[in-house]
Amino acid sequence: MNANIKWVEPAPKRENWFWPTDAMKERAWVSDPKIYEESWADPVAFWEKRAEEISWFKKWEVAYEEEPYKYRWFIGGKLNLSYNSLDRHVEAGKGDKVALIWEPEPTDEPNRIFTYKELLEEVSRLANALKELGIKKGDRVGIYLPMIPEAVIAMQAVVRIGAVPSVVFSAFSPESLRDRMLDCEAKVLITADGYWRRGKLINLKRNADKGIEGTKVEKVIVVKRAGLDVEMMPGRDVWYHEIVPKQSPECPPEEMDAEDLAFILYTSGTTGKPKGVMHTTGGYAVQVYTTAKWNFNLHDDDIFWCTADVGWITGHSYINYGPLMNGVTTVMYEGAPDTPDYGRMWATIQKHKVTVYYTAPTAIRMHVKWGDEWPAKYDLSSLRVLGTVGEPINEEAWLWYFKHIGGGRCPIIDTWWQTETGANCVEALPGIGPFIPTVAGRPFPGIRAKILDAGGQPVPAGEGGYLVLEPPFPPSLLRGLWGDPEKFKATYFGEYGPKYYFTKDGARMDEMGNIRITGRVDDVMNVAGHRLATAEVEDALSQHDAVSEVAVVSRPDEVKGEVPVAFVLLKAGYTPSDELKKELIKTVDVHIGPTARPAAIYFVEDVPKTRSGKIMRRILKALVRNEPIGDITTLRNPECVEELKKAVGYKG
Ligand code: WTA
């Protein structure tokens, strides 16, 4: 690592800082900034107070304990995630309240709506079915489901009986499914026949069958969603509608220890082999509950829509557990944002009177490209809070979201966190602010974060460095990697030792303590001795009016060591030209300096992306270096790779 990061691009302009209005403050759970200093002075006391708001079968004895590479929260406490998501609301008389609204992709199909009571009963039935199949506490259950209510029901049912769900994104290839099922040794898989995507039926069962070949999966529960004619293997496969409805709608929740495993979720590291991130029950429950409540201002009348897929941590924490633990209504959409047209998301907000909308910057940029006229057709006045997650948001997309979706009325909560942190960690609180384009905000109350240089020293305000989390570690921080304790230590504590969790993100903090994430530091370049984040060059290029999206990777250079190379997607109305290339280079000169000038600019139609919308720079890097490209089956758009090969003259 190299300590000489210099962030030379300007800080967001003061006139683009927004502060909460009186109405926002009034609705907010916290509006006094004192909460920060108070909670950071004693995080354990802070989290204990938060933990009192959820339901425990038995209260914890010790709130926090730490030794090197091992930290535990709420030791001795007993609880259940499903009980906290469902039973406690039914017991409080809210059984008839709508818990889940499901919006299918085909517009001629009705919504499926579950009250808290109905959801609890369905979860309990599936939980009983799993017991009938021999699943016990601690067993792993694979979930390979599309965006249908059964995905939430399955996660809830598995944790209800103390088993461990591991959700695999439904568009992942059979190979990806197999890797994960083998690694966690799942006994049962819950899947579906198929699902709708962009007006087409996708056969999922076929992939599931291929994916579990050679694994320890003994039984498969298949949800009938698509009505596809699928093969059922006798003795192994059972239809959901044949095994679940006949079960009792009552299933007592397992009393889980706070540090019992809640779920495993695989995420990619720099090596390509997915890591099984382990989350435990108590700390995860408390932080997900609290961040959902405070960051999105959740009250009884909220309709919360998180557009992430259930296969990602965002779907786990903010479609399922976060909103349900808070007793609000969660919305789940099956399909694509451009089906039947570019207005689908806005039509859905209008239809269900969504109050909180939580999405990814990449999606926002797509909407910017599609044009203002689409949101303008719909009544979005029900919205109160907007959120973003997953990557740094550029200023233009932020301002567009604020104006065209939020009507200038809704705070944008730019939540920084990771699969590993389980829940939001850095953002601005809706009743406190400030909401600054491209800046996430302050660490959540009770979470201590710092920006360090490579040697482990804090950097001065305004300077770039590495984001770390400090003890007491956030309650929902991962407890380990499944089956690989050494990798856990090396990946997260290798650089700075056990006293700092290293996030692998570059960041800088202003004097007020607001943190701007500059991107993963596993994607940094060293250009003529200057350390430069690819994200920084991207940010500069995206300031040009013509640019809709941009990805920058580095290419080795004889003289400079490395040079940036840019892949640029143009907005409608712009055409590629040498003139435009010159202008873009000028933009980089202006925002960063000539050292950051891309050595090549490729105008392309698309760049490879994961299903969650992250640009796969690894593939772009391989393309410009003529290196093997590797597996592209997990991409959302593998077809774009051919076009890119031509553009860069890839020789393989
Ligand atoms: C990035 C997604 C900037 C970051 C919840 C992190 C962000 C990685 C933000 C984790 C944000 C997430 N601003 N960057 N608000 N949120 N990231 O595990 O680089 O899919 O390390 O978790 O996404 O991605 P993951």
Side-chain angles (χ1 to χ4, degrees):
M1 293 202 309
N2 180 335
N4 298 320
I5 303 181
K6 277 274 178 281
W7 301 106
V8 272
E9 91 274 29
K13 291 187 278 307
R14 265 310 243 246
E15 67 257 33
N16 284 341
W17 287 40
F18 294 90
W19 296 89
T21 59
D22 288 343
M24 284 180 210
K25 279 192 197 156
E26 216 161 278
R27 213 181 144 77
W29 290 101
V30 272
S31 52
D32 186 342
K34 272 210 310 266
I35 187 75
Y36 286 116
E37 292 311 325
E38 275 171 20
S39 66
W40 292 332
D42 191 351
V44 175
F46 172 80
W47 288 113
E48 279 196 278
K49 220 185 265 169
R50 307 280 71 79
E52 277 161 17
E53 293 185 20
I54 68 168
S55 304
W56 298 81
F57 302 127
K58 179 174 168 280
K59 199 181 160 168
W60 59 95
E61 284 145 23
V62 180
Y64 183 71
E65 236 174 44
E66 191 190 317
E67 49 192 275
Y69 313 109
K70 192 171 174 195
Y71 36 90
R72 297 183 298 158
W73 279 93
F74 310 117
I75 299 147
K78 302 269 185 203
L79 77 166
N80 183 286
L81 269 171
S82 171
Y83 180 88
N84 271 286
S85 303
L86 304 169
D87 308 56
R88 73 172 188 145
H89 307 307
V90 175
E91 286 168 17
K94 280 175 42 174
D96 292 333
K97 176 171 177 168
V98 174
L100 175 75
I101 299 175
W102 179 68
E103 173 83 12
E105 188 183 85
T107 46
D108 55 2
E109 215 181 299
N111 293 116
R112 284 173 70 196
I113 293 173
F114 293 80
T115 64
Y116 271 94
K117 182 162 175 286
E118 288 163 347
L119 197 59
L120 171 59
E121 289 180 352
E122 189 64 10
V123 164
S124 300
R125 280 188 212 102
L126 177 57
N128 285 327
L130 288 166
K131 282 187 181 169
E132 188 186 311
L133 296 180
I135 291 297
K136 292 191 207 57
K137 182 175 175 185
D139 288 343
R140 275 79 62 206
V141 175
I143 298 175
Y144 188 49
L145 282 171
M147 289 288 283
I148 55 176
E150 284 76 8
V152 168
I153 292 164
M155 282 193 251
Q156 289 282 345
V158 178
V159 298
R160 189 166 185 87
I161 58 174
V164 180
S166 188
V167 183
V168 178
F169 178 47
S170 59
F172 269 168
S173 65
E175 283 75 6
S176 311
L177 176 64
R178 186 179 308 121
D179 288 345
R180 289 159 175 76
M181 293 301 99
L182 278 174
D183 193 70
C184 74
E185 302 184 307
K187 278 205 206 160
V188 166
L189 181 73
I190 306 174
T191 188
D193 58 346
Y195 59 97
W196 288 98
R197 186 77 194 176
R198 286 217 166 75
K200 276 208 237 75
L201 274 178
I202 312 287
N203 187 318
L204 184 64
K205 178 64 166 49
R206 210 165 22 200
N207 286 356
D209 287 342
K210 264 193 244 159
I212 57 174
E213 268 171 29
T215 70
K216 296 209 165 132
V217 172
E218 293 158 15
K219 298 278 177 196
V220 180
I221 299 179
V222 187
V223 179
K224 196 181 206 113
R225 155 64 187 134
L228 289 170
D229 188 16
V230 297
E231 247 174 74
M232 299 289 280
M233 187 195 278
R236 187 195 71 181
D237 299 352
V238 46
W239 285 108
Y240 182 101
H241 60 261
E242 281 171 7
I243 191 170
V244 175
K246 66 179 189 199
Q247 305 287 335
S248 157
E250 274 171 43
C251 173
E254 186 76 26
E255 296 200 1
M256 302 295 281
D257 197 88
E259 284 295 333
D260 276 342
L261 197 52
F263 63 89
I264 302 171
L265 181 59
Y266 286 86
T267 186
S268 43
T270 38
T271 62
K273 183 185 180 286
K275 305 177 288 195
V277 168
M278 298 197 288
H279 284 290
T280 55
T281 309
Y284 177 79
V286 171
Q287 194 175 329
V288 168
Y289 165 81
T290 307
T291 52
K293 176 173 173 172
W294 284 17
N295 287 338
F296 303 106
N297 249 351
L298 295 186
H299 290 266
D300 207 39
D301 56 348
D302 273 302
I303 315 278
F304 188 99
W305 184 14
C306 164
T307 67
D309 193 277
V310 288
W312 310 122
I313 191 67
T314 308
H316 282 62
S317 301
Y318 299 101
I319 291 176
N320 181 11
Y321 301 114
L324 293 180
M325 275 193 278
N326 277 283
V328 305
T329 302
T330 188
V331 176
M332 192 179 184
Y333 171 50
E334 176 180 38
D338 54 357
T339 305
D341 60 36
Y342 296 154
R344 183 61 186 268
M345 305 313 262
W346 321 130
T348 304
I349 289 175
Q350 174 180 291
K351 179 176 176 189
H352 300 300
K353 299 196 166 48
V354 170
T355 60
V356 183
Y357 184 66
Y358 190 25
T359 195
T362 184
I364 298 165
R365 286 194 293 269
M366 204 156 61
H367 288 294
V368 174
K369 199 169 151 185
W370 290 339
D372 314 345
E373 62 271 28
W374 291 98
K377 285 184 201 176
Y378 298 95
D379 177 6
L380 305 179
S381 62
S382 57
L383 289 171
R384 291 187 190 120
V385 177
L386 300 176
T388 71
V389 55
E391 50 177 323
I393 183 166
N394 53 307
E395 188 159 16
E396 188 203 3
W398 197 102
L399 291 170
W400 185 89
Y401 194 35
F402 187 72
K403 180 172 169 203
H404 293 281
I405 308 307
R409 207 179 55 246
C410 307
I412 294 181
I413 312 303
D414 176 354
T415 59
W416 175 90
W417 57 299
Q418 312 175 302
T419 304
E420 289 88 343
T421 71
N424 301 161
C425 286
V426 177
E427 69 292 286
L429 286 164
I432 299 179
F435 317 112
I436 314 170
T438 76
V439 173
R442 282 175 275 193
F444 192 82
I447 295 179
R448 289 176 175 160
K450 264 205 184 105
I451 318 280
L452 302 182
D453 67 18
Q457 294 307 309
V459 302
E463 290 209 7
Y466 305 102
L467 178 66
V468 298
L469 304 177
E470 287 180 279
F473 290 119
S476 67
L477 191 64
L478 84 165
R479 299 297 195 264
L481 295 176
W482 179 258
D484 209 342
E486 288 311 312
K487 189 168 186 179
F488 169 65
K489 286 186 206 169
T491 307
Y492 305 106
F493 302 96
E495 274 85 357
Y496 297 116
K499 279 291 174 194
Y500 291 114
Y501 165 84
F502 182 30
T503 65
K504 310 270 154 144
D505 274 307
R508 56 179 194 185
M509 195 186 267
D510 68 12
E511 260 134 32
M512 190 181 168
N514 296 303
I515 294 175
R516 178 179 193 183
I517 307 292
T518 46
R520 297 287 294 202
V521 293
D522 9 29
D523 258 329
V524 290
M525 301 172 283
N526 200 326
V527 184
H530 298 269
R531 190 158 183 141
L532 197 64
T534 51
E536 208 183 344
V537 184
E538 290 172 0
D539 203 47
L541 285 166
S542 66
Q543 317 250 346
H544 191 285
D545 282 346
V547 175
S548 141
E549 195 157 2
V550 55
V552 169
V553 294
S554 68
R555 186 172 80 187
D557 181 85
E558 264 180 31
V559 180
K560 297 182 175 177
E562 276 178 298
V563 286
V565 174
F567 292 84
V568 172
L569 279 70
L570 293 177
K571 280 190 206 141
Y574 288 91
T575 43
S577 70
D578 285 343
E579 206 41 51
L580 190 50
K581 274 191 196 171
K582 279 187 205 144
E583 277 185 36
L584 289 172
I585 287 176
K586 227 195 292 170
T587 308
V588 173
D589 279 3
V590 169
H591 289 284
I592 308 178
T595 45
R597 277 186 187 176
I601 294 177
Y602 300 110
F603 294 112
V604 294
E605 290 293 320
D606 210 352
V607 287
K609 283 186 181 156
T610 64
R611 295 284 165 168
S612 62
K614 279 198 197 14
I615 298 173
M616 288 284 278
R617 291 179 182 76
R618 173 174 70 73
I619 291 172
L620 296 173
K621 241 181 184 164
L623 282 166
V624 299
R625 292 161 189 242
N626 283 309
E627 286 169 0
I629 289 169
D631 182 21
I632 58 168
T633 57
T634 59
L635 292 182
R636 174 160 75 196
N637 51 354
E639 64 283 354
C640 76
V641 174
E642 280 311 309
E643 184 217 345
L644 292 169
K645 280 185 182 170
K646 278 185 215 135
V648 304
Y650 180 71
K651 295 183 229 35

